[in-house]
Amino acid sequence: MARSQLPKKQPPPRRPVAGSRKTKPASRPKQGSLAGAKRTPRLAVPDVPALERRITKLTSLLDVAKAMTALRDLDQLLKLILDEALKVVDADRCSIWIVDRERNEIWTKVAHGLAKEQKIRIPLGVGIAGQVAATGKIINIPDAYADPRFNRQVDKDTGYRTRNILGVPMRYTTGEVTGVLQALNKVKGEAFTDEDADLLLALGANAASAIENAILYEEIDRLFEGFVKASVVAIESRDPTTSGHSERVAELTLGIAENLQRLNKPQYADIRFTTDDMREIRYAALLHDFGKVGVREHVLTKANKLYPGELEMIETRFRALSAQKHNAYLLALVDSMKTGAPLPSDYETALKRDMEEIDRFLGFIRECNRPTVLDSSGFDRLHEVARITYIDGNGKAAPVLSPRELDRLSIPRGSLDQDERLEIESHVTHTFRFLSQIPWTRDLRRVPEIAYAHHEKLDGAGYPRQLQADQIPVQSRMMTIADIYDALTASDRPYKRAVPHERALSILEDDCKVGKIDRTLLDVFIGAQVHLRVLPAAQP
């Protein structure tokens, strides 16, 4: 079909407007006339600065909520909450009160205008903050001096002029009131508003959970601290002569760690100890001898080469020998008187000489019994003494020294024989085994490992595992120096004399020269005069 023959498309019919009989075309308004213009309701112009301030405050609340979840230190957390509360309600001063249900009180140590280290406690229900804590209700006082609940004496005592007060409760997730946020003196405006109360409540809700977590963490920390101190008491009660040793070693080790970071030694330039690291070092040092609870007490407290009962037995034998010599003389004297035959002229002199020799031998044994170094001539003389015999209770000749007693008196240095020394050294393994049973937190998980290596030496000659230098943690290397120094200078050991500070450093220097202890760490110990941290126990 040709294009021209196509039927023309008809426009759709107009629908009449409901309610009208006939639709008329709308007349165009005349130019300049307002007739027929569409009317719209007038909207209120928003207060843009106020909205921006509110958005800023809400954003700040979100930011501080994130920050609060990361803080575990209660003092730091309370300060953060306090400063944020000040900003969020435009207050001149703020304070945070914590509820103590056990004592039925509220307390604060973080408040603007409160002296550092000052802590205030008031009964629950007393004062504005106390009433908020007791009732769980918001208190907003626009004019403090017109409200009978306000205690004017506080202003008189502090010299501060309170105009208005806003107190809101902080609640746990269970709904229980855990504290109070209190703001004083609105900076902009005559009084705190409902919006201020809502913002402070929002901050308090986040703060309550964060404070609860921080308090729980603090309680766990105190629990650990109590356990560690109780363990140290248990260790030192086994051997009272070493009382204070664990605390001193911890203090000296921490001193090396602090100064190592401060002095920036090239070998340890990358070493940085956090607060948690320092706590881990402290606990490891305090518990480094924990395994001594697994060592037999008579071995642990052995002061001399012989045990007290063994020395008494030897002394008894020498007294018996002396008595037998004297009795032999008396019998000979009686026989002489009976027979009339005179005694040899030197008999009495010989007896006196024998008695003096017995006393000298006994004195020599007492000298050998001390935990000092025994020179080579002493071994020969001991064997000479061991050949002396007496008549025992069975009427038979027996040596005044048993083979075991001779072996112990022949210990070249110290008071322990080989078996006893191995038993003492086993305390390190016991320490590791005991400490490994404790479910340490992640930031303390290396406590057993650090304590385990405190008797290892850089040359591999330490115990119990003979670790090489690269296998020994730096924390253990520091503890090794502290442990040796305190063992040398401590004045509470009955089996040895304390050596002067300079002599102790000389011994440590000798260990450095033969590659046993860390040169850099010893330099830090000496250069920073770390020993002064335990001055009462050390000799300057």
Side-chain angles (χ1 to χ4, degrees):
M1 183 181 292
R3 184 181 296 272
S4 60
Q5 294 176 339
L6 290 172
K8 292 184 178 179
K9 193 173 182 180
Q10 299 297 321
R14 289 188 176 182
R15 294 182 180 180
V17 178
S20 64
R21 294 184 179 180
K22 190 175 182 180
T23 304
K24 294 182 181 180
S27 59
R28 183 177 295 176
K30 295 181 181 180
Q31 192 172 358
S33 172
L34 295 177
K38 188 178 289 185
R39 295 179 179 273
T40 57
R42 177 174 291 181
L43 295 175
V45 178
D47 186 349
V48 176
L51 286 174
E52 287 179 346
R53 284 196 301 272
R54 185 173 177 82
I55 291 170
T56 300
K57 289 179 178 181
L58 290 172
T59 303
S60 180
L61 283 177
L62 290 173
D63 291 340
V64 81
K66 294 175 186 176
M68 283 191 291
T69 58
L71 275 177
R72 293 180 300 188
D73 183 274
L74 184 60
D75 289 345
Q76 292 180 18
L77 177 63
L78 293 176
K79 186 178 184 307
L80 174 68
I81 298 168
L82 192 71
D83 292 342
E84 185 60 28
L86 195 74
K87 292 187 292 183
V88 83
V89 296
D90 298 319
D92 181 54
R93 289 185 178 183
C94 285
S95 58
I96 302 173
W97 297 82
I98 308 298
V99 176
D100 185 343
R101 296 289 177 190
E102 291 184 3
R103 299 173 64 169
N104 205 34
E105 293 176 338
I106 60 172
W107 62 269
T108 183
K109 61 176 178 178
V110 180
H112 296 117
L114 189 67
K116 193 175 181 180
E117 304 300 327
Q118 187 180 356
K119 194 171 184 177
I120 298 175
R121 283 184 172 271
I122 59 174
L124 198 66
V126 173
I128 305 301
Q131 291 178 48
V132 174
T135 63
K137 295 179 180 179
I138 298 171
I139 293 181
N140 189 349
I141 300 177
D143 186 350
Y145 278 78
D147 195 299
R149 293 171 295 183
F150 175 65
N151 183 3
R152 301 184 182 191
Q153 187 61 40
V154 176
D155 278 4
K156 290 180 180 178
D157 294 341
T158 61
Y160 186 74
R161 174 74 179 183
T162 304
R163 298 193 313 275
N164 38 55
I165 305 170
L166 173 62
V168 303
M170 297 188 297
R171 298 179 184 275
Y172 285 138
T173 51
T174 58
E176 181 185 7
V177 175
T178 180
V180 174
L181 276 173
Q182 182 173 269
L184 302 179
N185 292 359
K186 178 81 170 176
V187 173
K188 298 176 181 178
E190 294 184 355
F192 293 105
T193 63
D194 291 341
E195 180 182 319
D196 292 329
D198 290 341
L199 289 171
L200 210 55
L201 273 173
L203 176 63
N206 288 318
S209 296
I211 290 171
E212 180 182 15
N213 291 337
I215 290 174
L216 286 173
Y217 183 83
E218 201 173 67
E219 288 175 350
I220 292 171
D221 195 38
R222 284 200 299 270
L223 177 66
F224 263 114
E225 190 72 21
F227 161 75
V228 170
K229 287 183 177 178
S231 301
V232 171
V233 170
I235 296 164
E236 295 183 347
S237 65
R238 296 288 315 283
D239 185 7
T241 62
T242 61
S243 178
H245 170 70
S246 298
E247 287 281 0
R248 294 192 297 268
V249 169
E251 193 64 30
L252 293 171
T253 306
L254 290 174
I256 298 173
E258 290 170 7
N259 286 283
L260 180 62
Q261 298 178 108
R262 190 178 301 123
L263 297 177
N264 263 334
K265 293 289 184 178
Q267 183 182 347
Y268 295 110
D270 297 332
I271 293 288
R272 290 293 179 272
F273 297 118
T274 65
T275 302
D276 287 340
D277 292 334
M278 296 296 280
R279 191 163 64 114
E280 183 179 60
I281 292 170
R282 178 171 176 268
Y283 283 167
L286 284 171
L287 296 170
H288 75 283
D289 280 342
F290 189 44
K292 286 184 176 178
V293 298
V295 177
R296 291 177 299 167
E297 189 166 353
H298 69 278
V299 176
L300 186 65
T301 59
K302 189 182 182 189
N304 296 303
K305 296 176 184 179
L306 296 171
Y307 292 105
E310 291 177 321
L311 181 60
E312 289 172 7
M313 184 64 70
I314 293 171
E315 290 173 338
T316 299
R317 292 179 199 141
F318 271 89
R319 283 195 295 270
L321 177 60
S322 180
Q324 289 165 10
K325 292 272 187 184
H326 193 260
N327 287 342
Y329 167 73
L330 292 177
L331 289 172
L333 187 60
V334 169
D335 287 344
S336 173
M337 292 173 67
K338 284 181 179 180
T339 61
L343 289 173
S345 59
D346 62 343
Y347 197 99
E348 190 170 350
T349 304
L351 174 65
K352 185 177 180 182
R353 186 172 58 248
D354 287 347
M355 293 296 188
E356 289 174 350
E357 187 175 44
I358 289 171
D359 288 341
R360 283 197 303 272
F361 279 143
L362 185 56
F364 174 67
I365 286 173
R366 288 173 177 148
E367 186 67 28
C368 289
N369 187 40
R370 295 175 185 171
T372 52
V373 176
L374 184 65
D375 59 34
S376 57
S377 63
F379 296 104
D380 296 334
R381 194 174 179 194
L382 272 174
H383 282 83
E384 181 185 348
V385 174
R387 287 192 289 270
I388 300 173
T389 60
Y390 76 108
I391 305 302
D392 66 13
N394 297 318
K396 296 180 179 179
V400 291
L401 291 180
S402 70
R404 186 177 185 84
E405 292 162 350
L406 177 61
D407 287 343
R408 284 185 174 155
L409 288 168
S410 300
I411 294 170
R413 183 177 182 179
S415 63
L416 304 174
D417 63 24
Q418 184 61 21
D419 291 339
E420 292 164 340
R421 187 169 297 282
L422 288 174
E423 184 171 352
I424 288 289
E425 290 179 358
S426 73
H427 83 273
V428 183
T429 303
H430 291 316
T431 293
F432 179 73
R433 185 161 55 86
F434 294 157
L435 295 183
S436 295
Q437 301 301 311
I438 299 170
W440 298 98
T441 56
R442 281 175 295 179
D443 52 327
L444 297 174
R445 65 185 182 279
R446 295 188 67 198
V447 166
E449 177 190 347
I450 295 168
Y452 198 14
H454 80 275
H455 275 298
E456 301 289 350
K457 298 294 166 54
L458 303 185
D459 61 355
Y463 64 88
R465 294 174 291 165
Q466 294 79 49
L467 297 181
Q468 298 300 312
D470 59 349
Q471 298 174 296
I472 305 174
V474 63
Q475 298 94 326
S476 304
R477 297 183 185 199
M478 295 186 293
M479 197 191 306
T480 299
I481 293 172
D483 191 38
I484 294 172
Y485 179 83
D486 187 69
L488 290 170
T489 59
S491 58
D492 52 8
R493 312 290 173 93
Y495 49 83
K496 73 169 191 64
R497 293 179 180 176
V499 304
H501 168 68
E502 293 300 330
R503 175 61 183 146
L505 292 187
S506 176
I507 293 171
L508 288 168
E509 288 280 4
D510 291 342
D511 280 351
C512 264
K513 290 173 184 175
V514 295
K516 291 187 178 297
I517 62 177
D518 194 300
R519 172 81 264 171
T520 301
L521 297 179
L522 182 59
D523 287 343
V524 171
F525 180 84
I526 296 171
Q529 295 188 301
V530 173
H531 72 284
L532 295 178
R533 296 172 70 120
V534 292
L535 189 58
Q539 299 175 19

